[in-house]
Amino acid sequence: MTRRRSGAVSLLTAGLLLAAVLQSPAHAATTAAPTLTITPTTVGNTFTVGQQVKLGFSTDANTVNWTVRDASGTEVAKGSASAASLNGQLALSISTPGWYQTDLTAVGSDGSTALGGTDFAVLTPHDFSTSTDTRIGVAGALGFSSAGNPGLEAVPLMANGGISTDRDEAFWAAAETTKGVIQFPQKVKDYKAALDANHVDFLNILDYGNPLYYPDEAPSTDEQREAFTRYAVAAVDEFGTEHTTYELWNEWNLRDPNGAAKASPENYVALLKMVSAAVRAKHPDVKLTGPSLAVINDWQGWFTKFADLGGLDYVDAVTIHPYVQPLDPEASVTYMNTIRSIMTAHGSNKPIYVTEQGWATGTNPSAVSEPAQARDLVRGQLLSYGAGVARYSSYNFMDSGTDPSNVENRFGLVRNRLDARGALAPKPSYVATAVLARQIDELPLVGETRFGTNGYDVSFDAGGGQSVHAVWSATPGVVAATAPAGSTVQVTNLYGVTTPLTADAGGHVWVTAGPDPVYLRGAITGPMLPSSRFALSVSPEIAGDPATGTLTFTNPDAVTHAFTVSAGGADTNGSVAAGATATAPVSYPAQDSIGARTYSAKVTVDGQAVALVSATGTATPPLSVTASHVVNGSGKDLLRFRVTNASSHALKLAGLDWVSGTSSGTLLAGCTVGANSTREVDVPITLSGPSTWSASLRRAGEPAIAASGQLVPVSAPTIAKRHTVKLDGVIDPAVARQPAIALEGTGTPPVTGWGGPSDLSGSLWLTHDDKNLYLSAKVTDDVFSQPNRAGNIWGGDGLQLGMTAGAPGETTQTQEIGVALTDAGPVDTWRWTPTTQAGVPPGVQAKVVRDETAHTTTYEIAIPWSTLGFAAKDRLLSTTVVINENDGTGRRGWLTWGKGVAETKNPALFNAVRLDPAAAR
């Protein structure tokens, strides 16, 4: 039967007042900040192309400033107006499809501010009124009696998002409150009516126990099953079978394992068999599904037993919940394949439904970012369809709460009704789901293919020789799609922005395949082909400065091509000779917003747009504030604040408010920090025990920048004198005259079979100058062996150094650098941490000399301060030194001065070192 679905969006019948107020900075705490409340006037702030975007708010401020960014992080609107003139509505002339984030600043008459904002969606119109596609669903929670229920106004929002099915509940305990009388609550009847009115199918979960009949959640006896079965039949009587499917229970294998039914497949199949017989006797066209399997514990064994017991005979489709959060959805494909293999082994080819899968957003360690949720849900659906799954329900439609640290609160496609950013305001995943629905509506699956490294192409038949390909790759790169020369290929991104390309004379268009799926619609033939023809790179962006980059065009053809690169609102022309490579500069306008960015460039070759390539990056703030524990030349403790301006223009500060222990103050008030420069200022401190510091950097009209850290007192640091070491493999006389750091049997665990100082021992010295930190060492080792190279030198004879700025435990950012004379001949240096800087450390010089007669190895190492990221003038650092031991049979252990590298990675175990300005003599 044709299924009609409406795309209409109704207005909220009552506005929810949602506070989004941020207090003014601490220095102005006596001034009351203005109020700022988001009050949506359109359900879910969701609009269609051509419709006027209007965002509702209320405030007692004088002025309202706003910035609107699209899903790529690009500012698309910015302005300021008196609150009175706006009259509680911000009207925006934005009609490009997508997800948008709006940041608002309410400014009071005294300059105090409140920050808030909301999000909105612009969707392309799409007629779902005759659609029979039921693949895309959600868990709606309309049957709940809590703040997790989105309300009936959410149903048109579901429909407009292309959602065809709501998985929901009509609980037995609520329907039968008097024994023998089953009457479903009016709330349930109302939401079923709303689903029908908006042509959204109902996936009704028959679930849970009833204390009128037994104390446990799940039935475990025939008498209890009969009572549940009466409820199940009543549910089918009430809601029918037209556009309604039933799922028996929810995650039986996980819920109530300690109850009488013990979550066992035997008790589930017994219930399923009874319910199936009863409802099919009265409603032979019913669609009954199960077992709503949670892929946890021994789920494979549970499902195999379910199938052995004949459970597959009683369901019309198998339902599973393949959660893999926070992993990417590709990890869940094995679950579908395993379920299918078990079904096949039992002679069943019935459909599989994914009735729950989701990724929560927020601050919980297991959560993902909102853009990651959007791409994961779309990829999860596409992978499921590619694996033969017939229906997919995202969990869930609305955030069930507002606590970002509670993972259960943040699975939604839209925000909670009490969210400060607006009731039912769209998250990126809502828009991405709506775009998916528009791209594949009623298109049959062709299949899934792979390309390159971690590349996926899920394709659908669009009829008339046309197809839609959803393409992505966990390893970003450009791919070529094959289509007839001169034909049009429509490229649509995850959020609905479409760019038409024309296949070149060779029959190709090019796009970047990255983590976000991109849709290609056209007469596409053959697989996606990884290509190096085009590449886009963009340098790190500083907010307030343009982002700049390069488009590279490698031409394998036998003819010269003229090309134009369109990026950032400007065009750059160029040409590339046959068999040559050409580059063209690109630039993206300066914007003040920070955060993730996606940069795109369209390439027109010989008059035809043939490529759409992209790159990602992050725009960082122009100003940053840090502080570190330093000492002066006399060894007195100081807290050194640094304010760095990474932008290309000078910036004026309002002030730097700081607190350390019981002391506080304001620094740099009214000062200007020059372009690409740093201002430093010291504060004397007295440390009698561990303490903390915090700071807030203020600029007029901008949010404050906060920073904080730890402070640890230093009582007896090792003194490193000033001396420039000559790297010749001989300990400098001035160094040798300094007190040595002895290494003898100090490994943890000790070196296996350590035979005393002649087996392995050594002496260390640390010195410094303005350019380098120097380590000199003379090691006695009866057998020298270093069979490894590069990052594996820790496994042979050699040195490792762990270093941080300040006192031990004040920072977790560790520089771990190693030096070894290898059996191959060269001296190798390597940096393991930070992992983002792993590799050969720049500027590090080392001379290592082995004397086989004396059984000694001499090390002289110079490590530039610029490589470490520390400043010599700070005069305080923490370090540990490890001598690794290998006598030719593998690593036996190590000797160490300090700990925190070899036995465990913990810079709090390092030793404190003070750089003495006096020369070594």
Side-chain angles (χ1 to χ4, degrees):
M1 175 177 285
T2 298
R3 185 49 158 165
R4 300 178 60 86
R5 289 193 275 134
S6 168
V9 178
S10 64
L11 295 179
L12 282 171
T13 56
L16 277 166
L17 301 182
L18 305 171
V21 179
L22 264 150
Q23 292 294 327
S24 299
H27 72 284
T30 56
T31 302
T35 61
L36 177 59
T37 305
I38 304 302
T39 56
T41 57
T42 300
V43 171
N45 279 346
T46 296
F47 308 89
T48 54
V49 172
Q51 184 180 3
Q52 174 74 68
V53 175
K54 292 183 178 179
L55 307 179
F57 67 92
S58 64
T59 184
D60 59 4
N62 282 26
T63 304
V64 175
N65 305 327
W66 64 89
T67 300
V68 182
R69 290 176 283 160
D70 64 16
S72 72
T74 300
E75 294 176 2
V76 296
K78 196 170 187 176
S80 179
S82 69
S85 68
L86 294 174
N87 195 29
Q89 282 197 348
L90 177 61
L92 299 167
S93 299
I94 294 176
S95 59
T96 300
W99 176 84
Y100 296 88
Q101 175 178 334
T102 304
D103 296 325
L104 301 174
T105 304
V107 184
S109 58
D110 60 353
S112 59
T113 60
L115 306 180
T118 190
D119 312 291
F120 67 93
V122 177
L123 303 179
T124 56
H126 188 91
D127 184 7
F128 287 107
S129 62
T130 60
S131 177
T132 58
D133 197 331
T134 58
R135 285 176 292 196
I136 299 177
V138 293
L142 295 168
F144 282 69
S145 299
S146 66
N149 187 329
L152 297 184
E153 61 266 29
V155 178
L157 192 61
M158 293 180 188
N160 197 26
I163 291 164
S164 64
T165 303
D166 170 40
R167 180 178 185 257
D168 230 302
E169 286 158 301
F171 298 104
W172 177 22
E176 188 174 356
T177 58
T178 299
K179 208 168 190 178
V181 179
I182 300 177
Q183 176 63 50
F184 289 93
Q186 188 61 42
K187 174 185 69 176
V188 177
K189 297 178 181 180
D190 288 346
Y191 85 64
K192 178 61 165 68
L195 294 175
D196 289 341
N198 286 274
H199 311 289
V200 176
D201 279 8
F202 183 25
L203 177 53
N204 185 358
I205 312 169
L206 303 171
D207 58 4
Y208 305 148
N210 191 319
L212 295 175
Y213 293 95
Y214 49 87
D216 297 304
E217 182 181 83
S220 59
T221 67
D222 282 345
E223 183 181 4
Q224 294 171 1
R225 295 182 192 110
E226 287 167 0
F228 182 92
T229 298
R230 289 192 293 271
Y231 148 73
V233 171
V236 183
D237 289 344
E238 175 70 31
F239 304 113
T241 58
E242 188 176 4
H243 306 303
T244 303
T245 302
Y246 296 87
E247 186 173 28
L248 183 62
W249 213 263
N250 178 55
E251 299 182 344
W252 179 284
N253 68 309
L254 179 64
R255 297 185 65 103
D256 198 25
N258 299 317
K262 300 192 181 302
S264 73
E266 289 84 357
N267 277 311
Y268 180 79
V269 172
L271 178 64
L272 175 62
K273 182 178 181 179
M274 186 179 292
V275 169
S276 176
V279 297
R280 294 184 197 280
K282 195 170 185 181
H283 302 278
D285 59 341
V286 70
K287 288 185 178 180
L288 182 62
T289 70
S292 185
L293 183 70
V295 288
I296 194 170
N297 302 328
D298 183 21
W299 61 273
Q300 298 175 69
W302 194 101
F303 186 73
T304 299
K305 186 65 175 179
F306 162 82
D308 290 344
L309 293 168
L312 293 169
D313 297 336
Y314 307 114
V315 295
D316 298 291
V318 169
T319 57
I320 63 171
H321 298 172
Y323 286 98
V324 292
Q325 173 180 339
L327 300 178
D328 289 336
E330 287 75 14
S332 67
V333 174
T334 184
Y335 297 149
M336 272 83 84
N337 293 340
T338 299
I339 289 290
R340 176 59 71 192
S341 68
I342 296 171
M343 292 172 64
T344 300
H346 287 79
S348 174
N349 63 354
K350 291 180 177 179
I352 296 174
Y353 295 173
V354 171
T355 52
E356 278 188 32
Q357 190 178 45
W359 284 263
T361 61
T363 58
N364 189 286
S366 67
V368 300
S369 69
E370 291 188 356
Q373 181 198 43
R375 62 174 173 258
D376 283 346
L377 279 171
V378 170
R379 282 160 51 176
Q381 292 179 74
L382 290 166
L383 288 163
S384 296
Y385 304 146
V389 168
R391 288 192 179 191
Y392 182 104
S393 292
S394 300
Y395 183 84
N396 51 353
F397 183 65
M398 184 189 78
D399 283 346
S400 60
T402 60
D403 181 358
S405 66
N406 184 340
V407 71
E408 291 297 331
N409 277 194
R410 291 299 184 99
F411 276 98
L413 308 184
V414 301
R415 304 196 188 283
N416 188 268
R417 293 176 58 82
L418 301 177
D419 197 294
R421 294 191 72 81
L424 305 179
K427 294 164 71 174
S429 54
Y430 172 79
V431 178
T433 300
V435 172
L436 171 65
R438 284 155 170 76
Q439 287 293 315
I440 70 169
D441 185 29
E442 294 196 295
L443 304 187
L445 175 76
V446 174
E448 177 192 308
T449 59
R450 300 288 301 274
F451 61 87
T453 303
N454 300 318
Y456 293 80
D457 174 8
V458 181
S459 58
F460 302 83
D461 185 358
Q466 302 277 301
S467 56
V468 172
H469 292 250
V471 177
W472 74 93
S473 177
T475 305
V478 173
V479 295
T482 305
S487 67
T488 298
V489 176
Q490 300 282 352
V491 180
T492 303
N493 73 8
L494 184 64
Y495 298 102
V497 179
T498 297
T499 303
L501 300 178
T502 302
D504 74 344
H508 295 101
V509 298
W510 290 265
V511 298
T512 296
D516 288 358
V518 60
Y519 305 97
L520 286 75
R521 178 185 287 260
I524 299 169
T525 60
M528 298 294 142
L529 304 172
S531 173
S532 58
R533 182 171 293 227
F534 301 103
L536 177 67
S537 62
V538 179
S539 300
E541 179 182 348
I542 303 298
D545 285 350
T548 59
T550 301
L551 186 285
T552 302
F553 184 172
T554 300
N555 178 18
D557 300 332
V559 297
T560 297
H561 292 300
F563 67 92
T564 300
V565 181
S566 302
D571 293 343
T572 302
N573 298 318
S575 65
V576 57
T581 296
T583 60
V586 295
S587 181
Y588 300 85
Q591 51 187 31
D592 294 329
S593 302
I594 61 173
R597 296 272 198 268
T598 299
Y599 308 96
S600 296
K602 183 175 70 174
V603 185
T604 300
V605 178
D606 300 333
Q608 292 184 331
V610 300
L612 183 66
V613 294
S614 62
T616 58
T618 302
T620 56
L623 286 175
S624 62
V625 58
T626 60
S628 57
H629 181 183
V630 305
V631 295
N632 62 17
S634 302
K636 299 297 185 182
D637 291 316
L638 304 172
L639 183 58
R640 179 164 293 161
F641 289 98
R642 295 180 177 89
V643 178
T644 299
N645 176 12
S647 74
S648 62
H649 48 279
L651 296 173
K652 188 174 182 179
L653 309 181
L656 176 68
D657 304 317
W658 65 273
V659 177
S660 177
T662 59
S663 301
S664 61
T666 296
L667 307 168
L668 303 175
C671 290
T672 296
V673 184
N676 297 301
S677 65
T678 298
R679 291 287 298 266
E680 293 184 349
V681 60
D682 292 344
V683 174
I685 55 175
T686 300
L687 295 173
S688 57
S691 183
T692 60
W693 64 268
S694 61
S696 178
L697 181 64
R698 294 179 284 108
R699 284 176 64 201
E702 299 289 339
I705 299 172
S708 61
Q710 303 291 319
L711 292 170
V712 177
V714 175
S715 58
T718 296
I719 305 300
K721 296 283 189 176
R722 183 180 181 87
H723 178 78
T724 300
V725 171
K726 181 181 179 182
L727 303 179
D728 58 3
V730 177
I731 303 297
D732 291 7
V735 171
R737 287 192 291 268
Q738 305 306 307
I741 299 168
L743 286 159
E744 186 174 309
T746 54
T748 305
V751 174
T752 302
W754 185 62
S758 62
D759 184 356
L760 183 68
S761 59
S763 297
L764 308 175
W765 297 267
L766 293 170
T767 60
H768 69 95
D769 61 20
D770 291 340
K771 292 184 178 180
N772 299 303
L773 173 69
Y774 298 95
L775 172 68
S776 302
K778 192 161 188 176
V779 177
T780 297
D781 186 0
D782 59 343
V783 179
F784 184 88
S785 176
Q786 178 50 273
N788 303 316
R789 300 296 306 274
N792 293 320
I793 57 175
W794 61 270
D797 286 330
L799 289 183
Q800 282 175 266
L801 299 90
M803 293 159 284
T804 68
E810 289 182 338
T811 178
T812 58
Q813 179 81 331
T814 303
Q815 291 280 342
E816 186 179 338
I817 292 175
V819 174
L821 172 63
T822 67
D823 292 350
V827 173
D828 280 4
T829 62
W830 193 261
R831 173 161 53 186
W832 291 276
T833 62
T835 55
T836 55
Q837 300 174 1
V840 177
V844 174
Q845 300 178 63
K847 181 72 172 180
V848 184
V849 174
R850 172 66 178 176
D851 185 338
E852 283 295 352
T853 301
H855 291 173
T856 61
T857 309
T858 301
Y859 295 82
E860 290 182 313
I861 307 167
I863 307 174
W865 296 112
S866 58
T867 299
L868 293 174
F870 311 158
K873 63 181 180 180
D874 290 352
R875 302 194 182 283
L876 182 63
L877 69 148
S878 302
T879 188
T880 187
V881 180
V882 177
I883 300 177
N884 288 308
E885 168 72 329
N886 184 326
D887 281 353
T889 58
R891 189 186 191 213
R892 294 172 55 209
W894 57 85
L895 302 184
T896 180
W897 174 63
K899 295 182 181 180
V901 163
E903 57 289 294
T904 183
K905 305 299 183 184
N906 184 359
L909 302 178
F910 290 6
N911 291 321
V913 176
R914 180 169 73 85
L915 305 183
D916 190 335
R921 300 194 185 280

